[in-house]
């Protein structure tokens, strides 16, 4: 990984030096050896702070939204999942391809610094950390799908037959069991909306949950409002979630949001034919569920 | 019908009032006159203080009490801008509302005694100032010369027209200056923005207190003009506006620096404003 | 001195939950927080008295995330306020740490002083008894001491318990505490025991003079830099034991309804959004700055102490690793003389 760090710094230096980018998005070291965090270099002097290690998990593509109205040219390091986030933004017309210089890193799998901090916090019963992050075990594409420059050796997908295993477990429950399961899960939600904030696919300028006229979803933390929130969120994710797992990773009460997202991915696959969101970017092409045709054919692509 | 008046034990629970009169001021401002069920006002206010008005079940909003008429009624002048105000503009006389208060510090009516008063307002900003203006007329001997400069987009958008054109100019030692942003047919008065008109009138600073209220841009330029004209920071008073929910300094949102506008404000003099972080 | 043997802890909790709703720190599934002892499930729940603390703070017991305020009926013309929901129910918080006790002291300042008393809070607060748990082994992210909180002498405690290994010293501090002691009767033994020694802190925050210094740093470029990676997700304010901002909303059906309040956060843009679209803190940098200035400067100016009690939760939960200790130290060390 040290090689990758050096390579990233080299590229960042070059891009910042010759003015090809104004901002270069990568990661820096935090206070502990496991607390890597996002870092945006703006000057060549900043570049030495950039690192890439097994904790560089954050999907930086979401941060591009902060600059969507600007003119800055942005360099950004992406892993497989993050690169699908970029495709999401391009397809949604959130940012222009010309403003981006994408440095792809074939991803060896990440650990979650947030989990590591929690494990060391004394706020939870002692657990075994040091494993691959959950989202990385379910990764269908560790290699960047869009980039200007690629670093590292091609990786093989880690997920096999067992994709959707959890989803199937839930599907196999009885209706009552399933209701109980979701009631238990959703009643924990504190409605902080962090899952929305970190989501690259949640890029509406005015989110339905902030809408007050009319107010679609009440702000009460009650089981009915919580259900409503999660149903609406999930339906807005159909065909859009690029499986970066950030929502589930950041949730302070560990709600299994990826389970819900994966259920939708599975259903989109089943009802509309095989489709993985954010895998290819073709300028001008519309992804399914963003396009509408009379008598939609069964097979999409 | 409820006998429920001001719920003094719990400041977040409104008392019920009845709307006894509604008056169109402009195409988007209406005056609401309210009194407690069974008569009387829900609470006494000083000029510049606020009331939280609630239209159940829609919402609550903070409004300056534009005038308290003895123990008869409270008068709010409310502009239609959003969810609740839209609904409020549809109600009729006899409708019941919730109201809680009084909130905020109000204008320094005592400190201003003996001074000449210069009131400068734009648009709905006249609503809070009006309570102070009427207070001065009511205690006319306590205040010196009174000058009122008021502007709005058009003639139709001027609030309280009968007072502006009929009553106030009749008061002793009082001058009322009115301007609208753009020329229009039938208007032979002044045309132009308030800050420019103020500089044209150029009221001397000596012995005077200037009270300013209006949209943020207007306030900003008026403050600059006043400074140019030699008004000291202590001679200039303004009111701040922030989004509000509780009105009692608890819910957090209306802060500018360490000050809660609902409780420590909304009235500040310029010297105090300059102590605050520039978030207003 | 009265001693509570750890072997009797469940009997004690059972006893205390007879006459009041008792809240204890539990790990429940993937969550950890304060939960009612009545809801404790042997096997799936784990009592966290031996752990440092829990992620969700006990603030919800005195200031619930969603709290009904009053109900009303109104058919368009007439309106009636029906019931005001001030909660008189007795509650006990068992095992909260000094940082969280200090945060409740901040709430007391906010809700009970400065002109108005918040009756909803007061009703809960007056009926809450606090059994605080003195700390001797600060955790990886603790910095309470730097924020003026003594971890071994929790404020606001009716009883303080001190862990001596296989038992707790039971030190009652107030009349409410004496009542609990009396209720426990023979479950408390009388023995000699020695208080443990406070171990050193791993986090070193230097807050001295920071509130003062921040006055001149409102426009400092550090805010833009620090805020650049913030997701304005609000997690930090939700898990914070001392954040108290709330929104007031309404739920209604037909002629009936109720008003409730619920947590809100200055990290959200609609928090300050005014009708017509004006927003004094429209970008994330302004909101980020407001959070830290409120915690470290504004609250101090108003109430004479910071609104951060050093519990470390925001450090643990922030998805992008924003660290308040580092920010305090950065302010402390900033050379403001070179910046105009
Ligand atoms: C000190 C003070 C005095 C005011 N005096 C008057 C007055 O005399 N006449 C008048 O017409 N208006 C006045 N306002 C503005 C008035 O409070 C808002 O226009 C009104 O609350 C908007 O409500 P809404 O539901 O229609 O708008 P929405 O945008 O639907 O409101 C959503 C929520 O935000 C709150 N909110 C939105 N904008 C504001 C705002 N600018 N200030 C405070 N809360 C807001 C609302 O109360 C409501 O809870 C005053 C505001 C303040 C702070
Ligand atoms: S992050 Fe978790 S707690 Fe917050 S709104 Fe999303 S699901 Fe709920
Ligand atoms: S911050 Fe202090 S009081 Fe809180 S858990 Fe850590 S050591 Fe204990
Ligand atoms: S938890 Fe972190 S990212 Fe989220 S709002 Fe707080 S500081 Fe920003
Ligand atoms: S700001 Fe952070 S460390 Fe301070 S009290 Fe809140 S959560 Fe704890
Ligand atoms: S930091 Fe923000 S959310 Fe927390 S109490 Fe202060 S203003 Fe409220
Ligand atoms: S409106 Fe709640 S603090 Fe001012």
């Amino acid at each position: 990984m040290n090689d990758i760090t050096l390579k990233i710094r080299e590229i960042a230096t070059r891009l910042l030096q010759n003015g090809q980018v104004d901002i270069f998005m990568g990661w820096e070291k935090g206070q502990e050896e496991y607390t890597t965090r996002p870092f945006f270099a703006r000057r060549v002097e900043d570049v030495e702070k950039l690192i890439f290690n097994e904790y560089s998990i954050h999907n930086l593509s979401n941060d591009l939204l902060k600059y969507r109205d600007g003119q800055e040219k942005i360099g950004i390091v992406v892993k497989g999942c993050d690169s699908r986030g970029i495709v999401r933004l391009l397809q949604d017309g959130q940012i222009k391809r010309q403003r981006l210089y994408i440095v792809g890193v074939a991803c060896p799998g990440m650990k979650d610094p947030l989990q590591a901090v929690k494990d060391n916090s004394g706020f939870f019963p002692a657990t075994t950390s040091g494993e691959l992050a959950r989202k990385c075990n379910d990764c269908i594409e560790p290699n960047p799908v869009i980039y200007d420059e690629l670093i590292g050796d091609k990786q093989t997908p880690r997920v096999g037959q067992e994709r959707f295993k959890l989803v199937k477990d839930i599907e196999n429950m009885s209706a009552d069991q399933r209701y109980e399961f979701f009631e238990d899960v959703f009643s924990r939600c504190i409605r902080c909306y962090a899952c929305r904030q970190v989501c690259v696919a949640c890029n509406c300028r005015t989110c339905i949950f902030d809408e007050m006229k009319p107010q679609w979803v009440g702000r009460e933390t009650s089981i009915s409002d919580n259900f409503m929130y999660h149903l609406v969120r999930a339906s807005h994710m159909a065909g859009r979630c690029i499986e970066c797992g950030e929502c589930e990773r950041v949730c302070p009460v560990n709600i299994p949001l990826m389970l819900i997202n994966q259920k939708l991915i599975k259903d989109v696959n089943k009802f509309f034919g095989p489709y993985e969101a954010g895998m290819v970017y073709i300028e001008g092409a519309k992804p399914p569920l963003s396009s509408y045709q009379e008598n939609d054919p069964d097979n999409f692509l | 019908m409820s006998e429920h008046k001001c719920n003094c034990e719990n400041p977040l629970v409104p008392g019920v009032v009845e709307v006894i009169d509604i008056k169109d001021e402009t195409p988007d401002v209406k005056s609401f006159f309210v009194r407690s069920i069974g008569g009387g006002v829900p609470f006494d206010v000083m000029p510049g203080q606020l009331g939280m008005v609630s239209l159940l079940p829609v919402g609550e909003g903070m409004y300056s009490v534009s005038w308290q008429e003895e123990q008869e009624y409270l008068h709010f002048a409310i502009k239609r801008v959003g969810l609740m105000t839209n609904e409020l503009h549809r109600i009729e006389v006899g409708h019941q509302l919730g109201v809680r208060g009084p909130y905020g510090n109000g204008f320094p009516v005592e400190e201003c005694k003996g001074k000449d008063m210069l009131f400068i307002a734009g648009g709905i900003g006249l609503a809070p100032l009006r309570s102070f203006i009427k207070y001065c007329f009511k205690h006319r001997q306590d205040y010196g010369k009174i000058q009122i400069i008021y502007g709005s987009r058009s003639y139709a958008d001027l609030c309280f027209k009968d007072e502006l054109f009929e009553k106030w100019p009749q008061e002793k030692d009082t001058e009322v200056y009115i301007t609208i942003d753009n020329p229009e047919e039938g208007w032979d008065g002044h045309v132009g923005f308030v800050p420019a008109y103020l500089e044209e009138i150029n009221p001397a600073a000596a012995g005077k207190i200037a009270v300013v209220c209006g949209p943020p841009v207007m306030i900003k330029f008026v403050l600059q003009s006043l400074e140019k004209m030699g008004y000291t920071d202590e001679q200039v008073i303004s009111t701040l506006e922030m989004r509000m929910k509780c009105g009692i300094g608890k819910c957090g949102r209306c802060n500018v620096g360490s000050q809660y506008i609902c409780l420590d404000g909304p009235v500040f003099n310029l010297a105090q404003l300059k102590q605050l972080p520039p978030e207003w | 001195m009265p001693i509570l043997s750890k072997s009797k802890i469940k009997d004690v909790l059972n006893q205390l939950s007879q006459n009041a709703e008792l809240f204890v720190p539990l790990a429940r599934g993937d969550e950890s927080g304060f939960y009612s002892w009545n809801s404790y499930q042997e096997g799936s729940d784990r009592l966290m008295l031996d752990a440092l603390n829990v992620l969700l703070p006990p603030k919800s017991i005195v200031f619930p995330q969603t709290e009904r305020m009053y109900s009303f009926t109104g058919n368009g013309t007439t309106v009636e306020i029906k019931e005001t929901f001030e909660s008189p129910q007795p509650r006990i918080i068992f095992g909260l740490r000094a940082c969280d006790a200090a945060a409740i002291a901040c709430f007391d300042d906010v809700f009970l002083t400065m002109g108005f008393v918040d009756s909803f809070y007061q009703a809960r607060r007056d009926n809450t008894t606090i059994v605080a748990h003195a700390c001797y082994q600060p955790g990886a992210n603790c910095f309470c001491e730097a924020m003026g909180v003594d971890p071994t002498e929790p404020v606001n405690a009716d009883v303080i318990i001190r862990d001596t290994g296989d038992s707790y010293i039971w030190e009652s501090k107030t009349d409410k505490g004496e009542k609990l002691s009396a209720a426990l009767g023979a479950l408390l033994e009388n023995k000699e025991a020695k208080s443990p020694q406070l171990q050193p802190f791993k986090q070193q925050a230097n807050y001295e003079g920071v509130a003062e210094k921040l006055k001149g740093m409102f426009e400092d470029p550090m805010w833009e830099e620090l805020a650049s990676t913030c997701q304005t997700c609000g997690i930090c304010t939700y898990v914070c034991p001392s954040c108290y901002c709330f929104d007031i909303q309404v739920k209604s059906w037909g002629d009936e309804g109720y008003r409730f309040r619920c947590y809100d956060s200055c990290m959200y843009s609609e928090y300050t959004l005014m009708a017509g679209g004006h927003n004094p803190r429209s970008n994330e940098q302004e909101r980020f700055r407001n959070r830290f200035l409120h915690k470290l400067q504004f609250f101090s100016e108003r109430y004479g102490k910071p609104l951060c009690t050093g519990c470390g939760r925001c450090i643990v939960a922030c998805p992008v690793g924003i660290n308040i200790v580092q920010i305090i130290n950065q302010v402390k060390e900033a050379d403001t003389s070179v910046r105009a």
Side-chain angles (χ1 to χ4, degrees):
Chain A
M1 302 245 193
N2 207 13
D3 294 351
I4 301 182
T5 298
L6 293 176
K7 193 81 190 124
I8 289 174
R9 288 184 191 163
E10 194 185 301
I11 298 170
T13 306
R14 188 186 78 223
L15 295 174
L16 285 165
Q17 220 153 36
N18 65 21
Q20 230 173 313
V21 304
D22 305 298
I23 303 167
F24 189 91
M25 295 182 170
W27 300 268
E28 70 171 336
K29 229 183 125 8
Q31 216 178 22
E32 318 287 342
E33 97 253 8
Y34 48 79
T35 53
T36 301
R37 62 186 183 203
F39 175 67
F40 307 157
R42 288 163 185 279
R43 295 164 292 258
V44 177
E45 306 90 87
D46 298 340
V47 166
E48 62 188 44
K49 284 201 195 161
L50 288 167
I51 59 154
F52 184 86
N53 63 19
E54 58 193 355
Y55 290 105
S56 298
I57 196 168
H58 316 81
N59 178 354
L60 304 175
S61 65
N62 185 43
D63 290 296
L64 292 173
L65 286 171
K66 295 189 175 181
Y67 301 95
R68 64 178 150 190
D69 296 324
Q71 298 297 324
E72 303 92 338
K73 283 180 275 126
I74 302 170
I76 182 169
V77 188
V78 295
K79 308 181 294 295
C81 51
D82 313 342
S83 73
R84 295 173 64 194
I86 299 223
V87 173
R88 167 89 287 126
L89 293 177
L90 294 172
Q91 283 176 340
D92 293 348
Q94 295 295 333
I95 198 151
K96 291 230 158 54
R97 178 68 179 94
Q98 300 84 285
R99 287 180 59 200
L100 303 180
Y101 190 93
I102 306 169
V103 180
V105 179
C107 177
M110 291 287 134
K111 295 176 185 169
D112 182 1
L114 201 48
Q115 192 57 48
V117 176
K118 284 182 183 163
D119 288 342
N120 286 291
S121 67
F123 289 177
F124 296 91
T127 45
T128 46
S129 67
E131 295 162 9
L132 220 51
R134 221 169 77 79
K135 73 172 190 179
C136 294
N137 283 316
D138 281 347
C139 178
I140 58 166
E141 186 47 279
N143 301 298
V145 299
I146 185 171
Y147 53 82
D148 294 297
E149 203 162 331
L150 187 66
I151 308 177
D153 302 325
K154 205 166 154 59
Q155 304 276 337
T156 41
R158 275 169 289 276
V159 67
Q161 301 296 329
E162 288 297 87
R163 192 174 184 211
F164 303 130
K165 165 147 189 340
L166 274 174
V167 178
K168 287 176 195 150
D169 290 350
I170 305 284
E171 285 172 348
N172 289 335
M173 288 179 176
S174 71
D176 282 354
Q177 278 174 325
R178 203 157 46 230
Y179 183 82
E180 210 172 290
F181 173 82
F182 281 112
E183 183 173 58
D184 176 49
V185 158
F186 292 148
S187 63
R188 305 208 301 252
C189 174
I190 60 172
R191 301 285 294 287
C192 63
Y193 297 167
C195 45
R196 169 193 73 180
Q197 287 303 106
V198 299
C199 177
V200 65
C202 289
N203 53 37
C204 301
R205 278 174 197 271
T206 306
C207 172
I208 183 170
F209 301 117
D210 297 338
E211 237 346 295
M212 297 297 292
K213 308 164 200 169
Q215 188 181 24
W216 296 101
V217 182
R219 268 307 281 277
E220 225 177 357
T221 39
S222 61
I223 189 70
S224 61
D225 278 1
N226 286 7
F227 252 106
M228 191 65 188
Y229 169 67
H230 283 280
L231 287 179
V232 175
R233 193 198 78 91
S235 63
H236 286 195
M237 283 302 112
R240 303 181 42 76
C241 168
I242 48 91
E243 291 183 273
C244 71
E246 288 290 85
C247 52
E248 178 171 292
R249 187 177 77 82
V250 305
C251 175
V253 293
N254 291 312
I255 291 181
L257 292 153
M258 282 309 285
L259 179 68
I260 298 154
N261 295 343
Q262 285 190 326
K263 163 76 177 147
L264 283 151
I265 293 166
K266 187 164 169 281
D267 286 354
V268 168
N269 274 334
K270 186 164 147 203
F271 298 122
F272 301 97
Y275 176 73
E276 302 294 351
M279 281 302 197
V280 276
Y281 175 58
I282 306 163
E283 226 170 316
K286 282 269 180 223
L289 303 195
S290 305
S291 53
Y292 170 79
Q293 283 167 284
E294 198 96 24
N295 302 322
D296 257 339
D298 279 342
N299 262 329
F300 241 91
L301 296 177
Chain B
M1 252 202 262
S2 158
E3 287 297 318
H4 194 96
K5 253 185 118 176
C6 165
N7 187 324
C8 301
E9 291 97 59
N10 192 323
L12 290 171
V13 180
V16 177
V17 293
E18 181 183 15
V19 177
I20 55 167
D21 197 10
I22 298 176
K23 189 170 159 237
D24 287 328
E25 298 290 348
T26 78
D28 56 8
V29 177
K30 282 189 183 191
S31 280
F32 296 85
F33 301 84
V34 305
R35 73 164 175 233
S36 297
I37 310 294
V41 290
F43 44 78
D44 291 310
V45 290
M46 288 302 287
Q49 283 195 301
L50 313 160
M52 185 65 97
V53 175
S54 64
L55 175 62
L56 292 161
V58 188
E60 271 187 319
M62 190 66 103
Y63 303 93
S64 305
V65 178
S66 200
W67 184 243
Q68 172 184 351
E69 183 62 36
E70 306 294 339
Q71 294 302 305
E72 291 298 306
Y73 59 77
L74 298 182
H75 174 183
F76 296 96
I78 297 180
K79 184 169 172 171
R80 178 160 46 80
V81 287
L83 192 66
M84 180 184 101
T85 47
N86 256 316
E87 290 299 319
L88 203 55
H89 272 234
R90 295 206 187 111
I91 67 168
E92 285 167 10
V93 170
H95 204 104
Q96 296 183 358
L97 300 171
V99 56
R100 51 192 179 89
Y103 298 136
N105 55 358
F107 291 111
V109 290
E110 290 302 319
E111 286 90 322
C112 291
K113 281 192 175 154
K115 299 279 176 25
D116 290 340
M117 299 301 299
L118 169 62
F119 295 99
I120 306 165
I124 186 71
L126 188 57
L129 290 203
R130 179 173 174 267
S131 59
F132 197 178
I133 293 171
K134 288 182 65 119
Y135 184 90
C136 292
F137 291 146
K138 193 170 164 189
H139 303 88
R140 193 66 194 85
Q141 69 290 350
D142 291 340
Y143 299 90
K145 183 187 177 79
I146 293 176
Q147 288 167 300
I148 300 163
I149 306 176
Y150 177 51
S152 68
R153 264 173 312 175
S154 69
Y155 173 78
D157 288 307
L158 295 166
C159 292
F160 316 120
K161 291 192 190 63
D162 55 336
E163 288 170 328
L164 282 176
F165 293 101
E166 308 294 329
K167 296 197 184 128
W168 294 351
Q170 311 279 319
E171 295 280 350
K172 190 179 128 238
D173 199 11
T174 299
E175 293 164 7
V176 182
Y177 300 90
I178 299 168
T179 180
I180 62 175
D181 289 356
N182 297 300
E184 62 184 48
E185 237 182 77
W187 175 255
D188 53 9
H190 191 274
V191 173
F193 295 120
V194 168
Y197 197 23
L198 165 68
E199 289 191 30
E200 207 174 294
I201 300 162
N202 197 12
K208 206 163 280 166
I209 297 285
V211 195
V212 187
C213 192
V217 269
M218 186 211 91
I219 295 191
K220 192 171 146 230
F221 287 111
V222 165
L223 294 184
Q224 283 173 10
S225 302
L226 288 171
E227 195 160 356
K228 248 195 294 182
M229 292 157 60
Y231 286 75
T232 64
D233 292 349
E234 285 72 21
Q235 278 177 288
V236 179
I237 295 169
S238 189
T239 74
L240 293 192
E241 194 175 325
M242 288 289 279
R243 180 165 168 151
M244 292 184 180
K245 285 287 176 173
C246 72
I248 59 173
K250 313 294 184 202
C251 79
R253 80 196 53 246
C254 72
N255 80 299
V256 176
S258 63
Q259 303 287 297
Y260 287 125
I261 305 309
C262 65
L263 188 66
D264 310 312
V267 178
F268 297 92
N269 70 31
L270 194 50
Q272 293 165 325
L273 286 180
K274 285 185 174 171
Q275 292 295 309
L276 298 179
E279 262 185 354
W280 42 279
Chain C
M1 62 181 70
I3 295 290
L4 165 58
S5 163
K6 285 190 182 173
S7 62
K8 293 196 185 139
I9 190 74
K10 287 193 177 158
D11 300 329
V12 165
L13 298 179
N14 287 336
Q15 177 61 40
L16 292 177
S17 59
Q18 295 294 307
N19 302 313
E21 189 168 17
L22 175 70
F23 292 86
V24 292
L26 292 183
R28 171 168 286 178
D30 291 333
E31 276 181 290
S32 76
F34 281 81
Y35 301 95
S36 170
W37 179 244
N38 286 331
S39 70
Y40 176 80
Q41 300 241 323
E42 194 77 47
S44 58
D45 288 340
R46 231 177 101 174
L47 193 56
M48 292 283 279
L49 285 172
D50 282 337
L52 175 76
N53 206 342
V54 285
L55 186 68
L56 297 178
K59 70 174 170 184
S60 58
I61 300 159
V62 285
F63 177 57
Q65 168 147 14
T66 300
E67 181 172 36
R68 276 185 202 206
M69 300 167 74
Y70 53 91
S71 59
F72 55 82
T73 56
N75 64 7
T77 48
T78 62
V79 165
E80 190 181 349
I81 307 295
K82 305 276 281 191
E83 194 182 346
T84 302
F85 303 107
E86 289 165 12
S87 169
Q89 188 195 347
R91 295 182 176 84
I92 302 170
I93 312 177
F94 192 98
L96 94 171
R97 297 296 193 172
C99 47
D100 293 345
I104 291 181
C106 292
F107 278 16
D108 289 350
D109 290 339
V110 171
F111 290 117
L112 304 177
T113 74
M114 294 273 178
F116 289 92
V117 169
D118 184 314
S119 314
F120 298 104
Y121 178 79
Q122 189 179 36
R124 284 177 177 267
R125 184 69 181 86
D126 285 350
N127 293 302
T128 301
T129 306
I130 294 176
V131 181
H133 189 184
C135 276
Y136 295 95
Q137 297 196 21
N141 304 293
C142 296
F143 60 105
C144 55
E145 205 171 36
M147 303 315 286
V149 175
D150 182 346
T152 65
E153 294 298 334
V155 297
N156 261 339
D158 298 299
V159 175
I160 298 179
I161 58 173
R162 301 176 193 279
D163 192 338
T164 62
D166 51 10
S167 56
Y168 299 103
I169 298 171
W170 177 277
E171 195 177 304
S172 119
K173 306 291 261 185
T174 64
D175 288 351
K176 275 187 190 170
E178 289 298 342
K179 279 196 195 123
L180 287 196
S181 311
L184 290 179
L187 286 168
L188 297 176
E189 297 154 61
N190 221 325
K191 274 201 261 182
E192 277 317 298
K194 234 175 116 247
S195 288
Q197 278 282 308
L198 178 62
Q199 301 301 306
F201 280 79
K202 294 174 199 93
Q203 294 277 356
Q204 305 297 334
N206 191 347
Y207 180 66
E208 220 191 302
V210 165
E212 263 302 302
K213 194 168 174 188
L214 279 169
K215 273 188 193 154
M217 292 179 71
F218 191 80
E219 315 265 18
D220 198 280
M222 80 179 245
W223 298 117
E224 190 185 345
E225 217 170 287
L226 286 168
S228 66
T229 61
C230 171
Q231 306 286 323
T232 58
C233 67
I235 286 182
C236 47
T237 61
Y238 276 76
V239 298
C240 178
S242 62
C243 273
Y244 56 83
C245 286
F246 62 87
D247 193 0
I248 296 177
Q249 296 205 356
V250 85
K251 186 143 256 176
S252 66
W253 56 95
D255 289 354
E256 287 175 71
Y258 57 87
R259 274 227 165 84
F260 63 94
R261 61 176 170 191
C262 56
Y263 294 173
D264 203 349
S265 167
C266 67
M267 298 309 292
Y268 299 152
S269 103
E270 77 277 23
Y271 176 82
T272 43
L273 178 66
M274 295 197 262
H278 177 62
N279 192 342
R281 290 194 284 266
S282 59
N283 70 39
E284 48 248 33
Q285 181 194 325
E286 290 160 338
R287 303 205 288 278
F288 183 95
R289 176 176 61 195
N290 184 70
R291 169 170 169 244
F292 284 98
L293 292 184
H294 187 218
K295 297 252 156 235
L296 304 175
Q297 180 201 339
F298 302 156
F299 197 84
S300 292
E301 287 171 3
R302 201 172 175 87
Y303 298 104
K305 55 176 146 177
L307 187 66
C308 168
T309 59
C311 75
R313 284 188 179 87
C314 55
I315 305 175
V316 170
C318 174
V320 296
I322 284 166
N323 184 321
I324 188 168
V325 171
Q326 203 181 339
I327 291 175
I328 292 171
N329 291 337
Q330 191 172 336
V331 171
K332 176 80 188 174
E333 282 153 27
D335 181 0
T336 41
S337 62
V338 293
R339 290 169 182 158

